[in-house]
Amino acid sequence: MNDTTIPAKPLPKMTPGAEHYWQSATREQFVLPHCKACAKVFFYPRVWCPQCLGQELDWVHASGRGVVYSFSVVHQAPFPAYRGDVPYVLAVIELAEGPRMMANVLHCDPATVRVGMPVEVTFEDRGEMKIPQFQPAPFLRRTSRPWPQ
Amino acid sequence: MTGAVAIAAVSEMKPARYPDKDGHALYIEVVRQLLAEWHLKPGDIQGLLACPAGMAGGGSADIFVHEQLYEELGIHPLYGDTMNAGGATYGYMVQRAAVAIRQGLADSVLCIGAGKFPKVSTGGAELMARMVSHEAFEFPYGTFIPAIYAQVATRHMYEFGTTAEQFAEVAVSSREWALRNPQAATYGTEPLTVAKVRASRPIATPFHLYDCSIPLEGGAAILVANESVAKRIARQPAWLLGMGEYHSHRNIHQAADLKDIGCGRAGRMAYERAGLGPGDMQFAQIYDAFSVNPLVFMEELGLCPRGKGGAFFASGAARPGGNFPVNTYGGLLSFGHTGDASGLSMIVEGARQVMGVAGDRQLPRADIGVVHSYGGMMSEHSTLILGRQS
């Protein structure tokens, strides 16, 4: 097959309670849900608090900082949309606010990614949306190889 | 709750690709083999638990499979259901069956599954990634099952200095066992070495191809029974001495601690209910979608010290002749992974070792062993303790 067209990457499915999260990301703002009753900041957004089951929720502007909790460098594209990306980093990021989330670590050589590495949020275009992603935090950027963009 | 319950009969197809059999035909073949091997009579099956085999159907599920099966068997069970918990399905079936039998709902319950692992290179990877990762907060990041499991491996390497070569040792050990098991998919092939594992195609760090289980098709059946039925059917039943269950998370990023992912919690419950401890175990059968699982779960189950899983497998202790055999049928890594039915294989082998019918790979010491399975992305856990004396 000489098919060189790479399909678009998947968009997140809209799930109850998460609309504001994605709308914010599309404006390049990284927000986390916060429970008014028990003050828990949690991930992922949903219509109740997973700590106290309260439904009075609002949003906090997150620092966008975190560290790599764990990761894997993917060498075999799981589906055609990722054919042009391998090797890429699939990681679990521990946010400064406490919760963990999944993301890719972008804008770096995958071989340089380490557990515990400080990262900061960045936003990746996905059609009409943007999704939160992470990249090495600035002070690391100065000590390592130059980054694209 | 009292009353002895045992696994009285087991049967399993050889994992392979069966292009002429759909999921239902696989189910029928499993039942046919069980009946032929154990000469069961209709009255021997009073309950029926089956799995909807969603992977085999390309994501759709046959939610009425147990109805079709009991009708074809011509029986009218007093207890029945179709249930799914991924790889933990069958551990939970044994646990549910035991509870039902102890409550007197049925004297025996047939636990059965058949499955087809989707072909990874032709859309299977995407299908399964969608099935096992959050559609909003994981899948858009390019999830891939090996890379999800690798999160546990990478974290273990970070916390304890475990090496990729030590994960490879798990695959080497499993192959040694598979070469003694004519029913294993890799029977008659060559032994693996750490170098061969590391030289195989990289999939997702730290895993190479031979760190991954072999996607195939098959199925198996387990008859759980009360004391009188078990003693009538089996010369040496595999008595269920303890059982534990724990549901941790669904999506891997929600796991509270990747080195305490729920396996140990199920294990501790099982030991406690059996009145036994890890030191009483003589072997372990541990669900192994990837080489990381037996290494980390040996630690979680208290069978080796925390952080020493790598050293344990590198020592050869898990291999034939070793002092603590693990996955004596070859594991999903070398026996083969039958998709929705994969959670049966380690229970079947645990029972066979205890029943003393494991052929050339029969362990000299198999009085008590532990069988651990899990479903999803190491999400929900089942531990069974099997023994020769009730």
Side-chain angles (χ1 to χ4, degrees):
Chain A
M1 292 232 301
N2 290 320
D3 183 9
T4 52
T5 56
I6 294 179
K9 293 192 178 112
L11 293 174
K13 184 184 171 183
M14 285 304 123
T15 52
E19 298 85 352
H20 181 72
Y21 175 85
W22 296 113
Q23 288 162 2
S24 300
T26 300
R27 294 193 303 267
E28 301 208 350
Q29 292 175 345
F30 184 53
V31 297
L32 292 171
H34 164 263
C35 176
K36 290 183 181 176
C38 75
K40 174 86 170 173
V41 174
F42 61 91
F43 191 88
Y44 46 87
R46 65 202 88 172
V47 299
W48 53 71
C49 165
Q51 180 162 280
C52 75
L53 303 183
Q55 295 189 23
E56 293 288 316
L57 308 173
D58 57 9
W59 298 86
V60 295
H61 284 272
S63 66
R65 293 194 309 269
V67 296
V68 174
Y69 176 71
S70 196
F71 72 97
S72 177
V73 181
V74 180
H75 287 274
Q76 175 179 309
F79 39 97
Y82 282 84
R83 273 198 312 236
D85 283 50
V86 286
Y88 66 92
V89 179
L90 184 74
V92 176
I93 306 298
E94 187 162 276
L95 301 172
E97 289 77 10
R100 294 192 199 123
M101 64 180 285
M102 185 171 277
N104 303 125
V105 181
L106 303 178
H107 309 148
C108 66
D109 176 355
T112 62
V113 173
R114 297 285 180 271
V115 173
M117 183 170 122
V119 289
E120 64 178 13
V121 76
T122 179
F123 296 89
E124 182 192 342
D125 288 333
R126 287 285 168 98
E128 293 175 358
M129 292 180 63
K130 292 182 182 181
I131 67 169
Q133 291 279 26
F134 285 81
Q135 63 188 8
F139 73 89
L140 267 182
R141 224 179 291 174
R142 284 196 299 272
T143 62
S144 199
R145 61 158 66 188
W147 313 92
Q149 304 304 318
Chain B
M1 253 181 342
T2 54
V5 171
I7 295 174
V10 295
S11 180
E12 180 158 28
M13 292 176 68
K14 182 175 175 120
R17 286 292 181 189
Y18 294 98
D20 58 326
K21 285 186 167 59
D22 64 10
H24 182 67
L26 286 175
Y27 258 104
I28 297 304
E29 179 58 19
V30 169
V31 176
R32 193 197 63 73
Q33 286 191 19
L34 177 81
L35 298 177
E37 285 174 42
W38 293 87
H39 310 291
L40 300 180
K41 300 286 176 283
D44 293 336
I45 304 171
Q46 293 192 359
L48 182 68
L49 294 172
C51 174
M55 286 165 75
S60 70
D62 181 1
I63 58 172
F64 295 112
V65 61
H66 71 286
E67 294 181 359
Q68 185 65 32
L69 283 174
Y70 69 63
E71 182 179 278
E72 294 198 29
L73 281 162
I75 61 172
H76 307 283
L78 304 170
Y79 179 79
D81 222 333
T82 291
M83 54 178 280
N84 179 46
T89 300
Y90 308 95
Y92 292 163
M93 280 186 187
V94 171
Q95 300 199 28
R96 307 286 182 273
V99 171
I101 290 165
R102 284 172 182 157
Q103 287 289 339
L105 304 183
D107 293 340
S108 61
V109 178
L110 180 62
C111 304
I112 183 166
K116 287 175 178 277
F117 200 109
K119 290 185 176 155
V120 174
S121 57
T122 54
E126 178 170 0
L127 170 78
M128 288 186 289
R130 281 186 186 277
M131 285 169 67
V132 303
S133 53
H134 197 289
E135 289 177 283
F137 298 103
E138 291 196 337
F139 184 66
Y141 295 104
T143 49
F144 181 38
I145 291 179
I148 291 174
Y149 278 79
Q151 307 296 319
V152 175
T154 302
R155 186 72 197 180
H156 204 270
M157 295 166 89
Y158 170 77
E159 292 207 30
F160 301 112
T162 305
T163 64
E165 287 71 21
Q166 289 174 327
F167 292 121
E169 291 278 7
V170 177
V172 171
S173 173
S174 294
R175 180 62 60 85
E176 291 294 314
W177 284 111
L179 296 177
R180 287 166 164 73
N181 180 4
Q183 288 293 101
T186 60
Y187 181 74
T189 67
E190 295 289 304
L192 279 180
T193 61
V194 169
K196 277 189 199 173
V197 177
R198 296 303 297 160
S200 65
R201 182 158 53 87
I203 304 293
T205 60
F207 301 143
H208 287 240
L209 184 65
Y210 294 148
D211 287 293
C212 311
S213 50
I214 306 171
L216 290 170
E217 302 167 11
I222 294 170
L223 187 72
V224 182
N226 69 10
E227 186 167 359
S228 66
V229 174
K231 283 183 169 168
R232 180 162 53 77
I233 291 173
R235 202 161 46 91
Q236 168 63 69
W239 299 103
L240 181 62
L241 304 182
M243 58 193 199
E245 166 172 347
Y246 185 76
H247 305 261
S248 163
H249 59 276
R250 164 160 167 81
N251 300 293
I252 193 71
H253 80 269
Q254 293 282 319
D257 183 345
L258 293 182
K259 68 178 186 305
D260 182 16
I261 205 160
C263 167
R265 290 166 193 261
R268 284 193 291 278
M269 264 180 261
Y271 293 138
E272 188 178 313
R273 289 169 181 165
L276 297 166
D280 298 309
M281 301 300 115
Q282 295 174 346
F283 67 82
Q285 315 292 345
I286 301 174
Y287 193 104
D288 56 334
F290 294 89
S291 57
V292 62
N293 302 115
L295 188 154
V296 177
F297 292 175
M298 280 293 294
E299 300 175 15
E300 283 213 36
L301 291 168
L303 300 167
C304 77
R306 179 58 82 188
K308 301 294 184 194
F312 170 80
F313 278 96
S315 77
R319 296 188 200 183
N323 64 17
F324 193 85
V326 178
N327 290 353
T328 54
Y329 65 109
L332 307 183
L333 291 173
S334 269
F335 174 79
H337 186 310
T338 58
D340 291 293
S342 56
L344 279 157
S345 304
M346 60 290 316
I347 306 174
V348 167
E349 177 67 5
R352 280 199 174 125
Q353 289 290 350
V354 168
M355 295 165 94
V357 296
D360 291 344
R361 62 187 190 283
Q362 180 63 51
L363 300 172
R365 293 168 70 241
D367 297 316
I368 302 179
V370 56
V371 179
H372 188 85
S373 52
Y374 63 82
M377 296 297 99
M378 298 155 280
S379 305
E380 44 190 354
H381 293 262
S382 163
T383 308
L384 307 175
I385 313 283
L386 302 177
R388 283 187 176 156
Q389 294 191 329
S390 60

